[in-house]
Protein backbone atom coordinates (compact mmCIF):
# COMPACT_ATOMS: atom_id res chain seq x y z
CA UNK A 1 0.00 0.00 0.00
CA UNK A 2 1.43 3.40 -0.98
CA UNK A 3 1.71 6.35 1.40
CA UNK A 4 -1.09 8.07 -0.50
CA UNK A 5 -3.31 5.03 0.07
CA UNK A 6 -2.35 4.94 3.75
CA UNK A 7 -3.32 8.61 4.05
CA UNK A 8 -6.64 7.94 2.33
CA UNK A 9 -7.33 5.01 4.67
CA UNK A 10 -6.61 6.90 7.89
CA UNK A 11 -8.56 9.95 6.73
CA UNK A 12 -11.62 8.11 5.44
CA UNK A 13 -14.51 6.10 6.83
CA UNK A 14 -12.76 2.83 5.97
CA UNK A 15 -10.72 3.13 9.17
CA UNK A 16 -13.95 2.72 11.16
CA UNK A 17 -13.73 -1.08 11.69
CA UNK A 18 -10.14 -0.79 12.95
CA UNK A 19 -11.22 1.93 15.39
CA UNK A 20 -14.09 -0.22 16.62
CA UNK A 21 -11.70 -3.13 17.21
CA UNK A 22 -9.17 -0.87 18.94
CA UNK A 23 -11.82 0.65 21.20
CA UNK A 24 -13.17 -2.78 22.13
CA UNK A 25 -9.68 -3.93 23.13
CA UNK A 26 -8.53 -0.74 24.87
CA UNK A 27 -11.47 1.25 26.18
CA UNK A 28 -15.02 0.14 25.47
CA UNK A 29 -17.71 0.09 22.81
CA UNK A 30 -17.14 2.79 20.20
CA UNK A 31 -20.19 5.02 19.86
CA UNK A 32 -18.84 7.92 17.80
CA UNK A 33 -15.55 9.00 16.24
CA UNK A 34 -14.05 11.79 14.14
CA UNK A 35 -10.61 12.55 12.73
CA UNK A 36 -8.71 15.01 14.92
CA UNK A 37 -5.37 15.10 13.10
CA UNK A 38 -3.04 13.34 10.68
CA UNK A 39 0.73 13.06 11.12
CA UNK A 40 2.72 11.92 8.11
CA UNK A 41 6.46 11.32 8.14
CA UNK A 42 7.87 10.44 4.70
CA UNK A 43 9.00 6.83 4.70
CA UNK A 44 7.98 6.37 8.34
CA UNK A 45 4.25 5.82 8.15
CA UNK A 46 1.08 7.77 8.79
CA UNK A 47 -0.63 8.24 12.15
CA UNK A 48 -4.20 9.34 12.70
CA UNK A 49 -5.52 10.83 15.94
CA UNK A 50 -9.25 10.31 16.47
CA UNK A 51 -11.63 11.90 18.92
CA UNK A 52 -13.82 9.10 20.23
CA UNK A 53 -16.85 8.59 22.44
CA UNK A 54 -17.06 5.17 24.03
CA UNK A 55 -19.43 3.35 26.36
CA UNK A 56 -17.68 1.80 29.34
CA UNK A 57 -19.81 -0.08 31.88
CA UNK A 58 -22.85 1.97 30.91
CA UNK A 59 -20.99 5.28 31.15
CA UNK A 60 -20.11 7.52 28.19
CA UNK A 61 -16.47 8.59 28.08
CA UNK A 62 -14.67 10.92 25.66
CA UNK A 63 -11.06 10.43 24.65
CA UNK A 64 -8.61 9.88 21.82
CA UNK A 65 -7.44 6.83 19.91
CA UNK A 66 -4.32 6.82 17.75
CA UNK A 67 -3.70 4.45 14.83
CA UNK A 68 -0.42 4.24 12.92
CA UNK A 69 0.84 2.45 9.82
CA UNK A 70 4.43 2.91 11.02
CA UNK A 71 6.21 -0.43 11.54
CA UNK A 72 7.00 -0.51 15.27
CA UNK A 73 8.65 -3.72 16.50
CA UNK A 74 8.10 -4.87 20.06
CA UNK A 75 5.31 -5.49 22.50
CA UNK A 76 3.63 -2.58 24.25
CA UNK A 77 1.20 -2.49 27.12
CA UNK A 78 -2.12 -0.70 26.52
CA UNK A 79 -1.84 -0.95 22.74
CA UNK A 80 -3.21 -3.40 20.20
CA UNK A 81 -2.08 -4.65 16.80
CA UNK A 82 -4.69 -4.79 14.05
CA UNK A 83 -4.93 -5.27 10.30
CA UNK A 84 -6.46 -2.86 7.84
CA UNK A 85 -7.43 -3.40 4.20
CA UNK A 86 -5.07 -5.64 2.20
CA UNK A 87 -3.69 -6.93 5.49
CA UNK A 88 -1.99 -3.61 6.30
CA UNK A 89 -0.47 -3.89 9.81
CA UNK A 90 -1.73 -1.22 12.21
CA UNK A 91 -0.80 -0.33 15.78
CA UNK A 92 -3.41 1.43 17.93
CA UNK A 93 -3.37 2.94 21.40
CA UNK A 94 -5.51 5.16 23.59
CA UNK A 95 -3.99 8.55 24.34
CA UNK A 96 -1.86 9.17 26.41
CA UNK A 97 -0.52 5.59 26.33
CA UNK A 98 1.89 6.23 23.46
CA UNK A 99 4.01 3.10 22.90
CA UNK A 100 7.26 5.05 22.35
CA UNK A 101 6.72 7.83 24.89
CA UNK A 102 6.65 5.86 28.15
CA UNK A 103 6.21 8.89 30.44
CA UNK A 104 3.46 10.65 28.48
CA UNK A 105 0.76 9.18 30.70
CA UNK A 106 2.46 10.74 33.74
CA UNK A 107 2.90 14.12 32.02
CA UNK A 108 -0.81 14.17 31.12
CA UNK A 109 -1.96 13.36 34.68
CA UNK A 110 -2.59 16.59 36.61
CA UNK A 111 -2.77 14.69 39.92
CA UNK A 112 0.69 13.21 39.36
CA UNK A 113 2.41 16.30 37.98
CA UNK A 114 1.01 18.64 40.63
CA UNK A 115 2.50 16.94 43.72
CA UNK A 116 5.80 16.01 42.08
CA UNK A 117 6.57 19.37 40.46
CA UNK A 118 4.77 21.94 42.60
CA UNK A 119 3.73 20.23 45.83
CA UNK A 120 0.05 20.87 45.09
CA UNK A 121 -2.77 18.32 44.70
CA UNK A 122 -3.13 18.93 40.97
CA UNK A 123 -1.44 20.97 38.26
CA UNK A 124 -3.11 22.81 35.42
CA UNK A 125 -1.93 21.13 32.20
CA UNK A 126 -2.09 22.38 28.62
CA UNK A 127 -0.89 20.27 25.70
CA UNK A 128 1.11 22.52 23.37
CA UNK A 129 2.08 19.87 20.85
CA UNK A 130 1.95 16.13 20.29
CA UNK A 131 3.72 14.23 17.54
CA UNK A 132 2.81 10.57 18.03
CA UNK A 133 5.73 8.32 18.96
CA UNK A 134 8.15 11.29 18.66
CA UNK A 135 7.51 13.88 21.37
CA UNK A 136 4.94 15.88 23.29
CA UNK A 137 5.19 19.29 24.92
CA UNK A 138 2.94 20.41 27.78
CA UNK A 139 2.73 23.51 29.96
CA UNK A 140 2.24 22.78 33.65
CA UNK A 141 1.14 25.43 36.15
CA UNK A 142 0.86 25.21 39.90
CA UNK A 143 1.64 27.19 43.06
CA UNK A 144 2.12 30.32 40.95
CA UNK A 145 4.87 28.73 38.84
CA UNK A 146 5.09 27.48 35.27
CA UNK A 147 7.11 24.57 33.90
CA UNK A 148 7.32 23.09 30.44
CA UNK A 149 7.43 19.32 30.00
CA UNK A 150 9.00 17.77 26.93
CA UNK A 151 8.20 14.07 26.76
CA UNK A 152 10.65 12.06 24.68
CA UNK A 153 11.38 8.49 23.59
CA UNK A 154 13.27 6.41 26.09
CA UNK A 155 16.75 7.66 26.97
CA UNK A 156 16.72 10.94 25.03
CA UNK A 157 15.79 13.48 27.71
CA UNK A 158 19.20 13.30 29.39
CA UNK A 159 21.00 14.22 26.17
CA UNK A 160 18.65 17.16 25.63
CA UNK A 161 19.31 18.31 29.20
CA UNK A 162 23.06 18.37 28.44
CA UNK A 163 22.43 20.43 25.31
CA UNK A 164 20.71 23.06 27.44
CA UNK A 165 23.62 23.11 29.89
CA UNK A 166 26.14 23.38 27.04
CA UNK A 167 24.49 26.49 25.60
CA UNK A 168 23.83 28.09 28.98
CA UNK A 169 27.49 27.71 29.91
CA UNK A 170 28.39 29.47 26.65
CA UNK A 171 26.08 32.42 27.38
CA UNK A 172 23.42 31.45 24.83
CA UNK A 173 19.91 32.20 26.16
CA UNK A 174 17.92 28.96 26.48
CA UNK A 175 15.32 27.85 29.04
CA UNK A 176 16.79 26.74 32.35
CA UNK A 177 16.37 22.96 32.81
CA UNK A 178 14.89 21.89 36.13
CA UNK A 179 14.94 18.69 38.12
CA UNK A 180 12.69 16.10 36.49
CA UNK A 181 10.90 13.36 38.39
CA UNK A 182 10.74 11.24 35.24
CA UNK A 183 13.66 9.91 33.21
CA UNK A 184 12.09 10.56 29.83
CA UNK A 185 10.69 14.05 30.51
CA UNK A 186 12.78 17.21 30.23
CA UNK A 187 11.44 19.89 32.57
CA UNK A 188 12.35 23.52 31.90
CA UNK A 189 11.49 26.81 33.58
CA UNK A 190 9.64 29.56 31.77
CA UNK A 191 11.98 31.80 29.79
CA UNK A 192 11.48 35.57 29.38
CA UNK A 193 10.22 37.17 26.19
CA UNK A 194 7.44 36.41 23.77
CA UNK A 195 7.41 34.35 20.57
CA UNK A 196 8.88 36.07 17.55
CA UNK A 197 5.80 34.89 15.65
CA UNK A 198 3.70 37.31 17.70
CA UNK A 199 5.95 40.21 16.71
CA UNK A 200 5.74 39.18 13.08
CA UNK A 201 1.94 39.05 13.31
CA UNK A 202 1.82 42.53 14.79
CA UNK A 203 4.12 44.64 12.65
CA UNK A 204 6.50 42.28 10.87
CA UNK A 205 8.89 42.43 13.86
CA UNK A 206 9.93 45.99 13.12
CA UNK A 207 12.92 46.86 15.30
CA UNK A 208 14.11 43.27 15.44
CA UNK A 209 17.12 43.22 13.12
CA UNK A 210 18.19 40.23 11.00
CA UNK A 211 21.78 40.71 12.18
CA UNK A 212 20.68 39.63 15.67
CA UNK A 213 19.70 36.23 14.27
CA UNK A 214 23.00 35.70 12.48
CA UNK A 215 24.98 36.89 15.48
CA UNK A 216 23.33 34.38 17.80
CA UNK A 217 24.03 31.49 15.44
CA UNK A 218 27.65 32.55 15.09
CA UNK A 219 28.01 32.57 18.90
CA UNK A 220 27.04 28.91 19.29
CA UNK A 221 29.93 27.18 21.10
CA UNK A 222 32.39 25.11 19.09
CA UNK A 223 31.63 22.10 21.28
CA UNK A 224 28.31 21.79 19.42
CA UNK A 225 30.33 20.32 16.55
CA UNK A 226 31.15 17.33 18.77
CA UNK A 227 27.48 16.34 18.82
CA UNK A 228 25.88 13.93 16.37
CA UNK A 229 25.39 15.16 12.82
CA UNK A 230 21.76 15.64 11.78
CA UNK A 231 20.97 16.09 8.13
CA UNK A 232 19.35 19.45 7.32
CA UNK A 233 15.70 19.43 6.33
CA UNK A 234 16.51 20.24 2.70
CA UNK A 235 18.67 17.10 2.38
CA UNK A 236 15.56 14.91 2.40
CA UNK A 237 13.92 16.80 -0.43
CA UNK A 238 12.92 13.74 -2.50
CA UNK A 239 11.35 11.98 0.49
CA UNK A 240 9.35 15.08 1.31
CA UNK A 241 8.47 15.46 -2.36
CA UNK A 242 6.86 12.03 -2.06
CA UNK A 243 4.87 13.22 0.94
CA UNK A 244 3.79 16.35 -0.96
CA UNK A 245 2.73 14.19 -3.91
CA UNK A 246 0.71 11.99 -1.57
CA UNK A 247 -1.43 14.98 -0.54
CA UNK A 248 -1.39 16.69 -3.97
CA UNK A 249 -1.28 13.79 -6.45
CA UNK A 250 -2.44 15.98 -9.35
CA UNK A 251 0.67 18.16 -8.84
CA UNK A 252 3.14 15.26 -8.95
CA UNK A 253 5.06 16.42 -12.03
CA UNK A 254 5.33 19.95 -10.66
CA UNK A 255 6.58 18.63 -7.32
CA UNK A 256 9.16 16.31 -8.92
CA UNK A 257 10.47 19.19 -11.03
CA UNK A 258 10.79 21.38 -7.95
CA UNK A 259 12.62 18.65 -6.01
CA UNK A 260 15.10 18.20 -8.86
CA UNK A 261 15.72 21.95 -9.05
CA UNK A 262 16.33 22.09 -5.31
CA UNK A 263 18.71 19.15 -5.45
CA UNK A 264 20.65 20.75 -8.30
CA UNK A 265 20.88 24.06 -6.46
CA UNK A 266 22.16 22.37 -3.31
CA UNK A 267 24.85 20.53 -5.26
CA UNK A 268 25.87 23.51 -7.36
CA UNK A 269 26.26 26.24 -4.71
CA UNK A 270 28.81 26.24 -1.86
CA UNK A 271 27.40 25.54 1.57
CA UNK A 272 30.29 27.11 3.47
CA UNK A 273 32.29 25.63 6.36
CA UNK A 274 30.97 23.21 8.95
CA UNK A 275 29.98 25.19 12.04
CA UNK A 276 27.76 24.76 15.13
CA UNK A 277 24.10 24.87 14.10
CA UNK A 278 20.69 24.77 15.74
CA UNK A 279 19.17 22.36 13.23
CA UNK A 280 15.56 23.56 13.35
CA UNK A 281 15.93 27.32 13.48
CA UNK A 282 12.75 29.32 12.85
CA UNK A 283 10.52 31.94 14.45
CA UNK A 284 8.54 29.40 16.48
CA UNK A 285 11.70 28.47 18.37
CA UNK A 286 12.70 32.03 19.29
CA UNK A 287 11.53 34.23 22.17
CA UNK A 288 12.36 37.91 21.85
CA UNK A 289 12.13 41.15 23.78
CA UNK A 290 12.76 44.48 22.10
CA UNK A 291 15.57 43.88 19.64
CA UNK A 292 17.08 40.90 21.47
CA UNK A 293 16.61 37.14 21.48
CA UNK A 294 15.79 36.09 25.04
CA UNK A 295 15.53 32.33 24.52
CA UNK A 296 16.22 29.68 21.88
CA UNK A 297 13.92 26.67 22.12
CA UNK A 298 13.90 23.08 20.81
CA UNK A 299 17.52 22.02 20.88
CA UNK A 300 17.01 18.47 19.60
CA UNK A 301 18.75 19.16 16.28
CA UNK A 302 21.77 20.97 17.76
CA UNK A 303 24.97 19.79 16.07
CA UNK A 304 27.50 20.38 13.29
CA UNK A 305 26.20 21.74 10.00
CA UNK A 306 26.15 24.82 7.80
CA UNK A 307 25.02 28.33 8.70
CA UNK A 308 23.18 28.54 5.39
CA UNK A 309 20.85 25.71 6.45
CA UNK A 310 19.79 27.43 9.67
CA UNK A 311 19.18 30.67 7.78
CA UNK A 312 17.27 28.85 5.03
CA UNK A 313 15.08 27.14 7.62
CA UNK A 314 14.29 30.53 9.13
CA UNK A 315 13.38 32.06 5.75
CA UNK A 316 11.23 29.12 4.66
CA UNK A 317 9.14 29.14 7.83
CA UNK A 318 8.87 32.93 7.70
CA UNK A 319 7.58 32.78 4.13
CA UNK A 320 5.00 30.16 5.14
CA UNK A 321 3.33 32.25 7.85
CA UNK A 322 0.75 33.93 5.54
CA UNK A 323 -0.20 30.46 4.28
CA UNK A 324 -1.04 29.49 7.85
CA UNK A 325 -2.81 32.71 8.88
CA UNK A 326 -3.86 35.48 6.52
CA UNK A 327 -3.31 38.06 9.27
CA UNK A 328 0.46 37.91 8.67
CA UNK A 329 0.17 40.80 6.23
CA UNK A 330 3.49 42.36 7.26
CA UNK A 331 5.51 39.21 6.62
CA UNK A 332 6.41 39.79 2.94
CA UNK A 333 8.27 42.98 3.85
CA UNK A 334 9.94 41.23 6.79
CA UNK A 335 10.93 38.33 4.55
CA UNK A 336 12.62 40.70 2.10
CA UNK A 337 14.43 42.40 4.98
CA UNK A 338 15.78 39.17 6.47
CA UNK A 339 16.66 37.59 3.14
CA UNK A 340 18.62 40.64 2.05
CA UNK A 341 20.84 40.45 5.13
CA UNK A 342 21.19 36.66 5.03
CA UNK A 343 22.35 36.80 1.40
CA UNK A 344 25.19 39.05 2.50
CA UNK A 345 26.41 36.38 4.94
CA UNK A 346 26.06 33.16 2.88
CA UNK A 347 25.93 32.22 -0.79
CA UNK A 348 22.58 33.53 -2.15
CA UNK A 349 22.03 30.60 -4.53
CA UNK A 350 22.70 28.10 -1.76
CA UNK A 351 20.37 29.99 0.56
CA UNK A 352 17.48 30.08 -1.90
CA UNK A 353 17.86 26.42 -2.91
CA UNK A 354 17.84 25.29 0.70
CA UNK A 355 14.94 27.59 1.60
CA UNK A 356 12.98 26.08 -1.28
CA UNK A 357 13.85 22.61 0.02
CA UNK A 358 12.68 23.39 3.54
CA UNK A 359 9.49 24.91 2.12
CA UNK A 360 8.83 21.70 0.20
CA UNK A 361 9.08 19.70 3.44
CA UNK A 362 6.21 21.81 4.81
CA UNK A 363 3.74 21.21 1.96
CA UNK A 364 2.30 17.97 3.32
CA UNK A 365 1.85 19.58 6.74
CA UNK A 366 -0.98 21.69 5.37
CA UNK A 367 -3.17 18.63 5.84
CA UNK A 368 -2.70 18.93 9.59
CA UNK A 369 -2.68 22.73 9.77
CA UNK A 370 -6.06 23.18 11.44
CA UNK A 371 -7.90 24.11 8.27
CA UNK A 372 -11.19 22.35 7.54
CA UNK A 373 -9.98 18.89 6.59
CA UNK A 374 -13.36 17.44 5.66
CA UNK A 375 -14.10 20.42 3.44
CA UNK A 376 -10.70 20.30 1.77
CA UNK A 377 -9.56 23.70 3.06
CA UNK A 378 -6.11 22.23 3.64
CA UNK A 379 -5.63 21.73 -0.12
CA UNK A 380 -5.56 25.47 -0.78
CA UNK A 381 -2.96 25.81 1.94
CA UNK A 382 -0.84 23.01 0.44
CA UNK A 383 -0.90 24.70 -2.97
CA UNK A 384 0.12 28.00 -1.40
CA UNK A 385 3.04 26.32 0.33
CA UNK A 386 4.13 24.70 -2.92
CA UNK A 387 4.14 28.09 -4.63
CA UNK A 388 6.23 29.57 -1.81
CA UNK A 389 8.84 26.86 -2.41
CA UNK A 390 8.88 27.57 -6.14
CA UNK A 391 9.14 31.32 -5.58
CA UNK A 392 12.44 30.96 -3.75
CA UNK A 393 13.94 29.59 -6.97
CA UNK A 394 11.98 31.65 -9.48
CA UNK A 395 12.71 35.09 -8.02
CA UNK A 396 16.40 36.06 -8.00
CA UNK A 397 15.97 38.99 -5.61
CA UNK A 398 15.33 38.84 -1.87
CA UNK A 399 11.85 38.28 -0.57
CA UNK A 400 10.02 35.92 -2.96
CA UNK A 401 6.87 36.45 -0.95
CA UNK A 402 4.16 33.97 -0.08
CA UNK A 403 1.59 32.68 -2.49
CA UNK A 404 -1.37 34.87 -3.00
CA UNK A 405 -4.51 33.46 -1.44
Amino acid sequence: MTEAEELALLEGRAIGPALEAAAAALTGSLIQWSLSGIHHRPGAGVTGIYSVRCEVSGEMLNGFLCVTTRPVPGTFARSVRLHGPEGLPLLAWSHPNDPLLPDLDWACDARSVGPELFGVPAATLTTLGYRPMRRAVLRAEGAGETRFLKVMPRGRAAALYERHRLLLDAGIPVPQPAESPRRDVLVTRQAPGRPLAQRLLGDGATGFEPEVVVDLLERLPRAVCDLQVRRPWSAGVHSYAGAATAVLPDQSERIRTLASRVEYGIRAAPAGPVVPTHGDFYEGNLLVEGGSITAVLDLDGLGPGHLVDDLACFLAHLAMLPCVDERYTAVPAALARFQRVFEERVDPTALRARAAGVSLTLVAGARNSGRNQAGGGWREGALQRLLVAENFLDHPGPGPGPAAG
Side-chain angles (χ1 to χ4, degrees), residues 7 82 110 121 145 155 191 199 208 233 250 263 269 310:
L7 275 166
L82 306 166
E145 299 183 39
R199 292 276 300 275
F208 181 78
W233 292 110
D250 60 325
E263 189 176 53
D310 272 351

Side-chain angles (χ1 to χ4, degrees), residues 8-38 47-55 63-68 80-85 88 90-95:
L9 168 65
L10 268 64
E11 281 193 318
R13 304 307 296 180
I15 196 64
L19 288 173
E20 290 176 2
L26 299 171
T27 55
S29 299
L30 183 64
I31 304 301
Q32 186 178 0
W33 65 272
S34 61
L35 178 65
S36 179
I38 285 284
T47 303
I49 302 177
Y50 304 89
S51 176
V52 297
R53 185 172 177 81
C54 297
E55 182 178 359
F64 294 92
L65 286 175
C66 300
V67 179
T68 188
V80 60
R81 294 191 181 275
L82 306 166
H83 286 90
L88 176 68
L90 301 172
L91 179 66
W93 65 92
S94 59
H95 183 73

Side-chain angles (χ1 to χ4, degrees), residues 110-352:
R111 297 185 182 277
S112 295
V113 173
E116 294 191 57
L117 280 190
F118 305 113
V120 298
T124 299
L125 299 177
T126 304
T127 299
L128 303 179
Y130 173 48
R131 294 189 178 273
M133 298 179 289
R134 295 174 61 194
R135 64 181 179 272
V137 179
L138 298 94
R139 181 174 60 241
E141 298 169 291
E145 299 183 39
T146 299
R147 297 285 186 272
F148 292 89
L149 315 179
K150 188 161 190 173
V151 187
M152 308 188 70
R154 194 174 299 281
R156 295 189 185 177
L160 188 55
Y161 178 95
E162 292 304 321
R163 281 168 161 76
H164 281 75
R165 295 304 328 170
L166 172 64
L167 294 195
L168 283 169
D169 291 345
I172 303 296
V174 299
Q176 288 274 353
E179 182 107 10
S180 176
R182 294 290 167 138
R183 183 179 69 171
D184 298 309
V185 179
L186 175 74
V187 179
T188 56
R189 294 181 170 86
Q190 187 169 28
R194 62 176 176 139
L196 177 57
Q198 291 182 9
R199 292 276 300 275
L200 290 163
L201 181 63
D203 62 1
T206 299
F208 181 78
E209 299 302 328
E211 289 84 356
V212 173
V213 170
V214 182
D215 175 68
L216 180 134
L217 290 171
E218 292 182 336
R219 288 193 296 112
L220 292 176
R222 193 67 198 175
V224 167
C225 286
D226 296 331
L227 301 174
Q228 183 177 355
V229 175
R230 171 176 162 175
R231 292 200 317 162
W233 292 110
S234 57
V237 63
H238 281 289
S239 294
Y240 285 100
T245 299
V247 301
L248 294 173
D250 60 325
Q251 303 294 316
S252 58
E253 183 176 349
R254 179 182 172 189
I255 292 168
R256 283 196 299 270
T257 298
L258 174 61
S260 295
R261 293 178 66 195
V262 168
E263 189 176 53
Y264 174 80
I266 290 175
R267 289 200 312 265
V274 173
V275 296
T277 58
H278 179 273
D280 196 17
F281 193 75
Y282 67 100
E283 84 293 327
N285 285 332
L286 295 176
L287 301 182
V288 300
E289 191 172 281
S292 302
I293 296 173
T294 55
V296 183
L297 313 178
D298 197 2
L299 307 183
D300 303 64
L302 198 68
H306 302 285
L307 174 62
V308 66
D309 283 306
D310 272 351
L311 298 181
C313 186
F314 185 96
L315 286 183
H317 282 267
L318 180 57
M320 287 292 169
L321 288 175
C323 303
V324 177
D325 190 328
E326 61 185 13
R327 293 177 298 167
Y328 280 101
T329 56
V331 158
L335 177 62
R337 182 162 56 93
F338 278 89
Q339 186 171 342
R340 187 175 297 109
V341 171
F342 292 175
E343 289 188 355
E344 294 172 354
R345 307 299 284 268
V346 296
D347 183 273
T349 301
L351 179 67
R352 291 194 293 268

